Amino acid sequence: DVGSTSAQALGPVFDSACAGALAGSAARDLPMRALQSSTKALVQQLQVEDKDDDETVFALADALSEVLYSAYNHVNELDGKHIAQLSVDEARVTVKQVIDIMKSCLERRTSIIRTIGGYDGVVPNEDESAQLYEQLMAEGRNLTPLVDSIGYTLKSLGEAFVPVFKSVVAPFFSPLLTASGTIDVRARFAAV
């Protein structure tokens, strides 16, 4: 699939741009421009991607995580600044969008868990249960790079991330820390 292959290539290409800018062999502003356009494009594609296409959804989420990791990881030794970094406003928008994607994923997981558990009055047979568990695992796999993306954004901005944390991250994750917040144990672990 072209979408997942392209997404998988984006992380290493961005990482190379960062390394090149640090080494002086690429334009210093290239990583910043690439970070802004890449994160925006990846998040927008995640928002519209067919959620049944697990491979592409994971590739997009993983690419977002890789790009944000590279931005966090590449620091100019002379001034201690990241070679590419989202502004606080860009981080707020990006994190809000990532959390919206996570909400949808957690809603799908909750629905699957309810179906597996027979909460709706119908207990699935063995084959249906196996298929549902596969869907549940795929949704869980997609959560990891989304949570990582928020973490790398937090790490990159440091204390400047506090307003984003207070206004966007904490209101989403806080309810997940309690058993009454969700029946999805993985969601509670992600919140921690």
Side-chain angles (χ1 to χ4, degrees):
D1 180 67
V2 174
S4 61
T5 302
S6 298
Q8 290 168 340
L10 187 57
V13 169
F14 179 76
D15 190 66
S16 294
C18 290
L22 281 174
S25 60
R28 299 274 303 160
D29 68 336
L30 176 62
M32 185 66 83
R33 288 183 289 128
L35 176 64
Q36 293 164 339
S37 61
S38 296
T39 55
K40 185 176 182 179
L42 287 165
V43 169
Q44 287 175 344
Q45 190 58 41
L46 275 165
Q47 290 172 320
V48 300
E49 192 62 46
D50 178 6
K51 303 311 178 231
D52 291 332
D53 186 354
D54 296 326
E55 180 182 329
T56 302
V57 171
F58 177 77
L60 290 165
D62 194 50
L64 179 64
S65 175
E66 285 185 29
V67 165
L68 290 168
Y69 172 76
S70 289
Y72 162 70
N73 195 43
H74 289 283
V75 177
N76 186 329
E77 291 180 10
L78 297 176
D79 62 12
K81 293 183 179 179
H82 295 279
I83 195 74
Q85 182 175 16
L86 295 176
S87 70
V88 173
D89 289 337
E90 290 167 333
R92 182 185 285 50
V93 169
T94 301
V95 168
K96 172 81 172 89
Q97 291 170 321
V98 169
I99 284 177
D100 287 344
I101 294 164
M102 290 175 65
K103 282 180 187 175
S104 295
C105 181
L106 291 173
E107 288 169 0
R108 289 188 299 278
R109 284 182 55 85
T110 298
S111 176
I112 294 167
I113 291 167
R114 291 185 64 76
T115 302
I116 290 170
Y119 287 93
D120 301 324
V122 178
V123 177
N125 66 36
E126 192 173 315
D127 290 338
E128 293 167 334
S129 287
Q131 183 179 10
L132 289 166
Y133 276 111
E134 282 181 34
Q135 291 172 357
L136 188 64
M137 295 304 292
E139 292 290 349
R141 190 180 79 153
N142 294 338
L143 279 175
T144 300
L146 295 172
V147 171
D148 289 348
S149 295
I150 294 171
Y152 295 134
T153 304
L154 179 154
K155 288 171 132 180
S156 290
L157 288 172
E159 287 184 33
F161 191 81
V162 170
V164 178
F165 184 85
K166 286 182 177 179
S167 66
V168 180
V169 178
F172 172 69
F173 281 106
S174 293
L176 297 177
L177 294 172
T178 65
S180 63
T182 180
I183 62 172
D184 188 348
V185 174
R186 183 165 180 125
R188 287 199 297 269
F189 283 121
V192 174

